[in-house]
């Protein structure tokens, strides 16, 4: 029976192919690193040809481990979001390097749009803010600055797309130029109401609608691969941006269910069901899933510094040799002795949005040592997450549970502290590759291996660890009061 699911997980620093059994168990995986190009300060590029070649190579590597292409029921793709590729639809060749999501080169254009008073209207329609992070202004930059892109636009052969769109085009031998609604919702060009690219938004950003892909579901029969590539025509049945895929992978499919990924920074998404998010707290609204044309939405917020604070304790202060030692240090003392860290080392993200803010260590005394600093660093994760939770609640999206993943989520002490300070149950899956698992769930549901996404998520989600809130109100209140005082100093 052909019931394996092939997931192509195209990340910022590497490309992977992963083979899942239909019960969500990972069977095989192959990974290749991706070259990062930094042509100028603030610019980050990838080579689209390299992305495609490595993706294909990773897929070719794992397909035999399923017993051949005949054993693969479907393909799911998840990708680094907002990164833009421009190619010629007749030749299938890239016309420029991809501009990566981290790239800041379009800030002057964004600033001009903000100054002209467009942000409120754009946020109302797209759920996004006018920031270089998103795809639309990157497309405009390519048109303005790369002559072959402009020439292809004039000749009517230009194709723009985010990375999943580029990969589907190549995987289908150029037959399909599509993007899924979750990736399209990161472009500044798509209205959240109808999940279609919008003529007025295209005009505002100066991006030709004709160059954009068709917007399709995140799961369903979306396209078929070119049979000459992997041995047979395999249906592509799941497509989603990485954070949306991780949210699905954590089975956050009902309103209020929330996932937080604690890696270098922290990304939080709360499912909103069919309700279109409207933030008054500078959070983002985004499409989570679209199956049979029916959409769910999510509210999204991120903090810039999470695991990187632990890295700083390790590399700059030498307080620990490896990140996981913070756990034993935090446990070795009953409290941080009044030490509070505000991790504004790179400004503050949601909900504060203060680029000029800088880090603070408050409450130092002669009794403060390594353990107090390590504990204060971990406590800062709960404090930052608490402020995000307050913003989500103010936007009408209170959290029911918090499902955590990412490298830092391995820290049991931090997981318990999150439950204590937030006052919600924190859940952590045993299988931490939630992004790839989410893409597998979408593909499995889209291929009809399960009746719907909810049943796929139920069946494929592995074992969980749970952390229940146990902290007294007085302790929590005192912690948060000290945090607010330190935050004011940042
Ligand atoms: P990314 O995907 O952003 O590269 P990861 O999800 O791999 O990040 O997480 C790595 C981060 O988590 C590092 O910054 C590291 O300092 C931190 N980290 C890893 N393990 C632990 C731990 N047990 N306790 C605290 N922090 C940890």
């Amino acid at each position: 029976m052909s019931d394996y699911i092939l997931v192509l997980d195209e990340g910022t620093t590497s490309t992977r192919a992963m083979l899942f059994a239909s019960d969500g168990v990972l069977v095989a995986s192959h990974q290749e690193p991706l070259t990062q190009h930094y042509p100028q300060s603030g610019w980050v590029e990838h080579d689209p040809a390299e992305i495609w070649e490595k993706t294909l190579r990773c897929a070719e590597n794992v397909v035999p481990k399923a017993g051949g292409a005949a054993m693969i029921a479907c393909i799911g793709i998840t990708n680094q979001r907002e990164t833009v590729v421009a190619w010629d639809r007749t030749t299938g060749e890239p016309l420029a390097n991809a501009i990566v999501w981290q790239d800041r080169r379009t800030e002057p254009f964004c600033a001009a749009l903000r100054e002209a008073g467009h942000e409120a209207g754009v946020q109302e329609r797209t759920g996004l803010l006018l920031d270089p992070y998103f795809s639309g202004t990157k497309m405009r930059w390519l048109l303005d600055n790369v002559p072959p892109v402009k020439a292809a636009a004039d000749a009517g052969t230009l194709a723009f797309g985010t990375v999943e769109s580029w990969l589907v085009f190549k995987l289908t031998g150029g037959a399909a130029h599509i993007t899924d609604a979750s990736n399209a919702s990161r472009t500044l060009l798509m209205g959240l109401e109808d999940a279609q690219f919008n003529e007025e938004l295209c005009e505002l950003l100066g991006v030709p609608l004709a160059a954009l892909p068709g917007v399709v579901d995140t799961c369903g029969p979306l396209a078929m691969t070119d049979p000459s590539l992997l041995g047979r025509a395999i249906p592509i049945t799941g497509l989603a941006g990485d954070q949306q895929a991780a949210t699905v992978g954590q089975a956050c499919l009902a309103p209020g269910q929330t996932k937080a990924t604690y890696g270098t920074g922290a990304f939080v998404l709360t499912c909103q069901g069919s309700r279109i998010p409207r933030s008054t707290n500078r959070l983002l609204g985004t499409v989570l899933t679209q199956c049979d044309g029916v959409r769910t939405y999510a509210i999204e917020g991120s903090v810039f510094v999470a695991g990187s604070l632990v890295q700083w304790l390790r590399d700059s202060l030498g307080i620990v040799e490896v990140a996981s030692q913070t756990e034993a240090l935090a446990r070795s003392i009953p409290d941080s002795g009044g030490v509070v860290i505000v991790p504004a080392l790179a400004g503050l993200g949601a909900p504060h949005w203060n680029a000029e803010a800088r880090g603070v260590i408050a409450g130092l005394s002669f009794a403060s040592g390594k353990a107090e600093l390590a504990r204060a660093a971990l406590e800062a994760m709960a404090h930052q997450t608490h402020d995000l939770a307050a913003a989500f609640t103010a936007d009408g999206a209170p959290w029911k549970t918090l499902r955590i993943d990412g490298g830092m989520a391995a820290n049991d002490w931090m997981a318990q502290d999150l439950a204590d300070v937030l006052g919600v149950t924190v859940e952590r899956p045993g299988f931490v590759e939630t992004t790839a698992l989410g893409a597998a769930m979408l593909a499995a549901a889209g291929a009809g291996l399960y009746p719907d996404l909810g049943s796929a998520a139920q069946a494929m989600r592995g074992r969980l660890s749970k952390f229940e809130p146990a902290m007294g109100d007085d302790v929590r209140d005192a912690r948060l009061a000290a945090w607010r005082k330190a935050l004011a100093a940042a």
Side-chain angles (χ1 to χ4, degrees), residues 15-384:
T15 290
R16 288 191 302 184
M18 297 166 90
L19 199 62
F20 287 90
S22 58
D23 60 359
V25 171
L26 179 67
V27 178
S29 155
H30 184 79
Q31 182 164 4
E32 304 240 353
L34 207 62
T35 315
Q36 311 290 312
H37 301 273
Y38 304 105
Q40 288 188 31
S41 158
W43 292 29
V44 189
E45 298 181 353
H46 289 159
D47 173 3
E50 183 189 357
I51 291 178
W52 162 237
E53 282 153 20
K54 289 190 168 168
T55 300
L56 183 61
R57 202 148 71 213
C58 288
E60 286 168 345
N61 192 285
V62 300
V63 167
K65 293 173 185 158
M71 304 299 287
I72 295 178
C74 54
I75 295 178
I77 301 176
T78 181
N79 58 294
Q80 51 165 322
R81 305 181 299 174
E82 296 103 8
T83 297
V84 167
V85 183
W87 68 95
D88 186 305
R89 62 173 94 241
T90 51
T91 65
E93 293 300 319
L95 296 164
N97 266 351
I99 303 185
V100 176
W101 59 274
Q102 297 145 316
D103 193 292
R104 305 300 295 173
R105 78 183 69 177
T106 63
E107 173 54 26
F109 182 38
C110 290
L113 289 168
R114 286 196 302 267
E115 273 150 34
H118 289 300
E119 186 157 74
V122 167
Q123 190 191 10
E124 167 75 20
R125 295 174 118 172
T126 67
L128 308 177
L129 301 168
L130 285 169
D131 188 277
Y133 181 27
F134 304 109
S135 313
T137 60
K138 296 175 178 1
M139 294 177 184
R140 168 65 181 272
W141 190 95
L142 288 167
L143 281 163
D144 286 349
N145 293 279
V146 183
V149 173
K150 177 72 173 57
D154 292 342
T157 60
L158 175 64
F160 274 135
T162 37
V163 172
E164 88 300 346
S165 181
W166 166 240
L167 290 177
V168 170
F169 182 86
K170 296 304 275 184
L171 281 165
T172 59
H177 183 208
I178 57 175
T179 182
D180 77 281
S182 78
N183 274 294
S185 76
R186 314 297 296 181
T187 57
L188 287 171
L189 301 171
M190 191 203 90
L192 280 180
E193 297 263 350
D194 62 355
Q196 292 299 318
F197 289 124
N198 178 290
E199 228 169 303
E200 281 172 37
L201 290 166
C202 285
E203 220 157 90
L204 178 68
L205 266 65
V207 174
L209 192 57
L212 296 175
V215 184
V216 300
D217 286 348
T218 52
C219 69
L222 306 174
M224 294 295 277
T225 63
D226 179 339
S228 70
L229 290 172
L230 294 170
R232 79 173 184 102
I234 304 173
I236 299 171
T237 57
L239 293 176
D242 52 11
Q243 295 304 322
Q244 283 93 339
T247 307
V248 172
Q250 289 270 30
C252 295
L253 298 172
Q257 291 177 333
T258 302
K259 78 92 197 175
T261 302
Y262 293 91
T264 307
F267 283 96
V268 181
L269 275 84
T270 298
C271 177
Q272 286 284 274
S274 58
R275 189 179 138 231
I276 297 180
R278 304 262 179 240
S279 177
T280 50
N281 293 277
R282 297 185 75 73
L283 300 172
L284 305 175
T286 205
V287 169
L288 177 58
T289 62
Q290 180 177 308
C291 305
D292 291 326
V294 179
R295 276 179 294 288
T296 64
Y297 295 90
I299 288 203
E300 176 173 331
S302 43
V303 298
F304 300 147
V305 175
S308 52
L309 181 66
V310 173
Q311 251 167 308
W312 179 75
L313 291 185
R314 186 193 66 193
D315 301 339
S316 298
L317 300 190
I319 282 176
V320 290
E321 274 165 20
V322 289
S324 56
Q325 285 170 348
T326 52
E327 178 163 351
L329 282 172
R331 280 189 202 287
S332 71
I333 47 175
D335 55 54
S336 72
V339 178
V340 179
I341 300 182
V342 182
L345 284 78
L348 286 168
H352 309 290
W353 293 109
N354 184 340
E356 269 78 55
R358 285 297 173 265
V360 167
I361 302 180
L364 290 174
S365 72
F366 284 115
S368 314
K370 287 182 180 186
E372 283 74 15
L373 283 169
R375 182 157 171 144
L378 296 183
E379 287 184 353
M381 300 305 130
H383 299 152
Q384 297 192 103

